[in-house]
Amino acid sequence: MPSHPHALALAGLLVSAFYPCAARAVTVNGAVPNPRVPGVRAASPPTVDGVPDDPCWANAPVISGFTADTKPPSFPTEVRALYDDRALYLSFVCHDPQPGALHAQQRKRNGDLSMDDLVEVGIDAQNDKRNAYWFAVNPLGTMAEDIPGGSAAKVEWRGDWQAAAKVTAEGWTAEIAIPFGILRYPKGQRTFGLMFARNIARHMEWSNWPANTEPWQQANQARWTGVEAPRRDARPRVMPYVLAGSGSFSSSAGLDVKYTAENNVTSLFTLRPDFQTVEESVQSVDFSYNPKYVEDRRPFFTEGEDFFGSYFGFYSPAINKVDAGAKTFGKVGPWNFAGLATGRNGEESDAVGYLRYEPSSRLSVWGGTVNQRLRVPEEWAGSEVTRYRHRNSAVSLLGGSARRPMKVGEMGAELEIAQGTTTGPGGDGGASYANVWRDGGDGVLSWGLSYITVAPDFFAPLAYIDRTNIRKWKGGFTLSRQVKQGPIRQTYARFVWDWTDQRHGGLDHRGALAMYRLSFRNDTSATAYYEVGTKRNDDLVETVVDGQPEYNAERVYDDRLVNLGFSWRDSDIYQNGNAFVRAGRLAGGQYVYGEMFQGARLGRSTSGSLSASVLHLDGALSRQRIWRGIGNLLYEFSSERSLAARVIVGHEQTNDNRAPIRNAYIAYRQELRRGADIFVLFGDPNVNAIRSAAAMKYVVTY
C-alpha cells in the first residue's frame, strides 16, 4: 500500500509526543562543568547483545569528547544513554583503527579487568558527588562492578545486571543494562550523577567523560536529569549457607538477611556467620589470575563496610567469632550513619557507631565510637584457680576532611583524633592522624604528607593499629608519564620516606625508598629501586661480659637494599612472568632474596604456573634459609566453574631448626549468576604438610 507523506509526518509527531525516545538526538558537550544529559525514556528496551542497532538508540543523547587528563585520547568514544521503568541503558562505540590489537582475556566475572581494553560507567544514584556505582565490561563481554560501601560477592545478593560486547571492523561496541533495583537512591529521585571511562590497554591510556571524573574524583560528574526512577522493591533478601568439614575444618550453618528501605537505609541481620571462609582459600587457588589476598568475604561485615571507615576505626577481621549480629547504614540528605552490634555466647560483645555530616562534596565531618566487652581470665594471687572478669574497651573518634578538585586530580586534607578508655590498668591513651595530599595524572606530580602519633597505652582492639608509642612523619611523591612513540610506553617514578621516633624519645625507624619503572611497548617492564633504613630492634640480645650474661634490649640496624625486577607479557593473565632479586644488608647481616614466576596456557581451558623463591639471611639475631617451589594447575569448565590444584615443596630453616614443606590441595569453585554457589577444598592450605582435611560450602540466595 503506498504511503501518504502527510500521514507519515503526522505519525512522526504523534510518536515524538508520546515516546521521547523518538525525539531528535542531542550531542552533550562534556567540556563544560557538570554537563547535563537529558533523560530520554526508551519506548521499548534495547536487546543487550553488544550491537547498538536498536531503533531507540538512534535518537538517544550522544555523549562524546572523552579526555585523557585534559588531552585528546588516542581514539574517540561515543556513548548513548536511555532509561525505562526497569533499568538504565548505555551503549558504547569505541573507535580503534586496529581492532586486532584489542586486548581482552579476563572471562571471570568481577575478575581483574585492568589489563584489558574496557569501558565503564559510573552512576551516582544519590547525586552527592561522593559515592558512585561503577559497571565495567571488556570486549569479551566480561563484567565487573564496584558497589559503593561494599557488598558480598554473591551475584543474587548484590544484584545482577547485563552487558555484552562485540569486536567490529572499526573497533568494538558494548551495551549495558543496569536495573534500578541494584541502586540505592532516595524516594522520588530524578537526577543521577553520570561518568564514563575507557581503557586502551596497549597504550596504558585511560580517558574519561566529563573531564577529570574518576572513582575518587566526582566533582565534575554530569547530571543525568529527568530520569523518573521507580519506587524500590523493598523486599528482604535471605542468604543461608551450609558448611560441611572434616579435619581442620568444622561443620556449621548460618544465614544473613538484608533489607533496603525506600529511604535508602539498609539493615542486616546475621546468625552464625562463616569465619572459616572456605571461599577465600578457594579463590587464592585461582591461578590464571594470580594468587591474591582476598578481603573479608563475610556478607554481614562486607556490606556497607565503607560507611565504617576511618583511620583508627573499625577493622572487621578483628572480630574472630560471632553468634549473632545486627547492622544498619545509610545516607539521608547530608547525613551518613552506620551502626553495628555483635555478640558471642557471653564471651564477647562489640558495638560500633558512626555519624558523618557532608554539607557538600568537598567537606566532611564525622564522629564515632568503637566498643568491646570481652571476658578475660584473671588468676588469683598465689593460687592455681582462674577466675574471669570482663574488660570494657572503647575508642572515641572525631575527624574531618576537605577536598578541592583541580584541573587534573584533586587536593585534600584529613584529620582524625582518637581517645581510648579501658577498664583496668592502662588503655586510656590517645592517637591522632593528619594527612594532606595531591592526586595527579599523566605528567602531573602526585604527593602526600602525613603525621601519626599513638600513645604507649592507646588500646583499640577492633582497629588495625600495628604500632603504639610512636610519632611518625611519612611523605612521598609519584610521577608517571605516557610516551606516545618509541619503544617506551610509560615511565613511573616514586619516592617515599618516613621518620619514626618513640613517644618517650629515641629512634624507632627512619627510611627512604626511591623507585623507577619503565614499561615497554613489547609488553615488558623493568623496575629498580633502592631502600635505606635505620631501625631500632627491641628483641633481647644476649652478650657475655666478665663471664656473666647480659641482655641488651636495644640494637640499631642500618639496612641497605637494592631491588631489581623484570617482567614479560605483562598484560597476559595466563602467560605473564617475572624475575626479581633483592640484596644487601638487613637486620644486621647479609640478605638475598630472589623469585621467579612463569604462567602458561596449556590448552583452551587449562592453564598453570610455576614459581620458585629463595631467601638467605645471616642476621645479627638469627640465620634464615628458606626456599619454596609452587606448581599451580587450573581447569576452567566455564567462567563460573573451575577446578584447581596446588603443590608446594621446600624447606624453612631458622638457625639450626629445619622444617620441610610438603603440601598439596585441590579446590573447586562454582559462582553462578543464578543458583547456588559451591566451594570445595581438599587439603589444608594453611599448613606446611599435606593434611587430611576437606570442606564444602553451599550458599544460596532467596
Side-chain angles (χ1 to χ4, degrees):
M1 179 181 296
S3 60
H4 194 284
H6 296 293
L8 289 178
L10 179 60
L13 289 173
L14 290 173
V15 170
S16 298
F18 287 98
Y19 297 103
C21 177
R24 184 179 179 183
V26 297
T27 300
V28 181
N29 181 7
V32 300
N34 301 117
R36 176 182 172 272
V37 178
V40 176
R41 182 183 291 272
S44 60
T47 301
V48 182
D49 56 6
V51 182
D53 57 358
D54 302 271
C56 60
W57 289 126
N59 294 301
V62 180
I63 299 166
S64 61
F66 281 54
T67 58
D69 287 333
T70 72
K71 296 183 288 290
S74 298
F75 316 123
T77 307
E78 289 98 37
V79 188
R80 287 170 171 81
L82 296 169
Y83 81 97
D84 62 15
D85 290 335
R86 190 189 72 85
L88 307 170
Y89 303 99
L90 294 309
S91 71
F92 294 81
V93 177
C94 304
H95 298 274
D96 193 320
Q98 296 177 283
L102 292 171
H103 191 275
Q105 286 188 308
Q106 184 66 264
R107 295 182 181 274
K108 177 184 173 185
R109 178 160 180 170
N110 287 320
D112 184 6
L113 297 182
S114 62
M115 294 294 102
D116 288 350
D117 281 78
L118 64 84
V119 291
E120 61 183 2
V121 54
I123 305 290
D124 182 356
Q126 300 182 61
N127 195 33
D128 62 1
K129 299 183 181 180
R130 284 189 175 273
N131 302 288
Y133 296 75
W134 285 90
F135 303 89
V137 60
N138 70 2
L140 296 176
T142 306
M143 303 154 56
E145 71 270 359
D146 181 52
I147 307 298
S151 181
K154 181 136 181 59
V155 173
E156 290 174 289
W157 175 267
R158 65 197 299 164
D160 200 5
W161 54 289
Q162 290 179 282
K166 184 176 179 61
V167 178
T168 68
E170 292 78 30
W172 66 289
T173 58
E175 290 180 300
I176 293 175
I178 304 167
F180 281 102
I182 294 181
L183 309 174
R184 292 190 294 263
Y185 53 84
K187 184 178 179 180
Q189 184 77 335
R190 293 180 59 88
T191 300
F192 290 77
L194 191 62
M195 298 162 283
F196 301 104
R198 178 185 177 185
N199 182 34
I200 301 174
R202 66 183 183 275
H203 291 171
M204 300 181 70
E205 177 188 276
W206 283 88
S207 57
N208 302 279
W209 188 95
N212 194 28
T213 52
E214 295 141 349
W216 61 91
Q217 174 52 270
Q218 298 177 225
N220 195 38
Q221 68 184 20
R223 296 163 295 146
W224 195 1
T225 61
V227 178
E228 299 176 359
R231 296 184 64 175
R232 289 190 53 84
D233 178 16
R235 68 177 182 88
R237 290 194 176 273
V238 182
M239 185 165 59
Y241 81 89
V242 176
L243 175 63
S246 66
S248 54
F249 297 100
S250 59
S251 299
S252 61
L255 62 83
D256 292 281
V257 182
K258 176 174 69 171
Y259 176 81
T260 300
E262 281 193 304
N263 63 354
N264 197 37
V265 176
T266 299
S267 300
L268 293 100
F269 172 77
T270 188
L271 182 66
R272 296 179 59 83
D274 175 26
F275 280 77
Q276 297 178 88
T277 56
V278 171
E279 62 266 46
E280 181 172 332
S281 298
V282 172
Q283 290 281 8
S284 71
V285 198
D286 192 358
F287 307 121
S288 68
Y289 317 111
N290 295 336
K292 58 184 181 299
Y293 171 75
V294 180
E295 296 181 354
D296 197 333
R297 295 177 62 93
R298 298 167 293 180
F300 176 77
F301 293 105
T302 302
E303 196 81 21
E305 61 184 351
D306 292 346
F307 282 79
F308 294 82
S310 66
Y311 190 85
F312 295 109
F314 177 54
Y315 177 62
S316 62
I319 298 181
N320 296 319
K321 192 174 181 181
V322 166
D323 292 327
K327 181 180 190 178
T328 187
F329 62 89
K331 178 178 174 66
V332 177
W335 296 96
N336 290 263
F337 57 90
L340 173 150
T342 63
R344 172 166 57 93
N345 192 29
E347 298 288 329
E348 179 180 343
S349 61
D350 301 293
V352 183
Y354 275 90
L355 184 63
R356 183 183 298 264
Y357 177 64
E358 297 172 344
S360 72
S361 62
R362 300 186 180 189
L363 298 174
S364 178
V365 180
W366 65 88
T369 179
V370 182
N371 302 270
Q372 182 187 73
R373 179 178 171 86
L374 185 65
R375 187 170 180 256
V376 295
E378 183 178 46
E379 292 187 357
W380 289 5
S383 172
E384 296 182 358
V385 178
T386 301
R387 65 179 182 181
Y388 293 87
R389 63 179 178 87
H390 281 94
R391 183 187 66 197
N392 299 313
S393 304
V395 177
S396 300
L397 306 164
L398 183 64
S401 66
R403 300 184 177 201
R404 179 189 176 189
M406 310 293 287
K407 187 175 181 180
V408 175
E410 68 175 9
M411 289 188 66
E414 186 175 70
L415 172 68
E416 181 169 279
I417 300 172
Q419 179 64 46
T421 56
T422 303
T423 58
D428 294 333
S432 60
Y433 165 76
N435 182 30
V436 59
W437 73 89
R438 166 72 162 98
D439 283 331
D442 181 36
V444 178
L445 191 72
S446 297
W447 53 265
L449 177 65
S450 64
Y451 175 73
I452 305 166
T453 177
V454 184
D457 55 349
F458 179 69
F459 183 63
L462 298 183
Y464 184 71
I465 305 295
D466 57 347
R467 300 291 303 279
T468 60
N469 188 33
I470 61 167
R471 289 190 179 95
K472 180 176 183 178
W473 288 94
K474 185 176 181 179
F477 67 84
T478 62
L479 179 64
S480 63
R481 290 184 180 275
Q482 302 288 337
V483 182
K484 295 295 185 181
Q485 295 180 343
I488 297 176
R489 183 167 56 180
Q490 184 188 61
T491 65
Y492 177 85
R494 181 186 181 209
F495 176 78
V496 295
W497 59 270
D498 73 84
W499 185 292
T500 308
D501 286 333
Q502 297 188 353
R503 284 281 296 262
H504 58 66
L507 167 74
D508 184 274
H509 178 263
R510 292 166 190 172
L513 179 149
M515 186 191 83
Y516 191 71
R517 183 176 68 231
L518 291 173
S519 298
F520 301 95
R521 296 198 189 280
N522 62 359
D523 211 24
T524 63
S525 61
T527 304
Y529 59 95
Y530 182 63
E531 296 176 77
V532 296
T534 301
K535 183 177 181 181
R536 175 183 180 272
N537 192 294
D538 289 333
D539 292 332
L540 295 178
V541 181
E542 180 179 348
T543 59
V544 178
V545 178
D546 297 330
Q548 299 295 323
E550 292 187 357
Y551 295 92
N552 179 12
E554 296 185 11
R555 175 168 289 199
V556 175
Y557 300 128
D558 291 320
D559 299 333
R560 303 289 186 272
L561 294 166
V562 175
N563 305 261
L564 300 173
F566 184 75
S567 62
W568 50 93
R569 292 186 172 178
D570 288 342
S571 61
D572 193 322
I573 62 176
Y574 295 104
Q575 301 184 90
N576 65 85
N578 64 75
F580 175 79
V581 64
R582 187 180 190 215
R585 290 191 61 81
L586 180 70
Q590 294 298 318
Y591 171 87
V592 176
Y593 174 80
E595 67 177 28
M596 291 193 67
F597 173 89
Q598 180 60 60
R601 189 68 162 161
L602 305 176
R604 182 181 178 86
S605 303
T606 308
S607 59
S609 68
L610 292 173
S611 63
S613 60
V614 59
L615 181 150
H616 283 243
L617 172 63
D618 293 318
L621 300 180
S622 66
R623 292 180 297 106
Q624 295 186 36
R625 302 287 187 270
I626 302 173
W627 73 268
R628 185 180 286 109
I630 302 176
N632 305 313
L633 191 65
L634 175 74
Y635 181 81
E636 296 177 288
F637 303 97
S638 68
S639 62
E640 297 180 326
R641 296 179 175 90
S642 61
L643 182 67
R646 172 176 288 175
V647 176
I648 307 173
V649 297
H651 76 255
E652 297 180 355
Q653 179 177 344
T654 302
N655 297 328
D656 296 327
N657 299 320
R658 180 185 175 98
I661 302 173
R662 302 287 188 273
N663 197 6
Y665 45 97
I666 300 173
Y668 171 76
R669 175 189 67 90
Q670 172 180 296
E671 291 183 284
L672 305 181
R673 296 185 74 157
R674 189 177 300 276
D677 287 358
I678 298 175
F679 304 91
V680 183
L681 186 64
F682 295 100
D684 189 342
N686 301 310
V687 294
N688 285 337
I690 296 176
R691 180 171 293 178
S692 177
M696 183 184 77
K697 185 175 182 180
Y698 179 94
V699 185
V700 67
T701 302
Y702 300 102

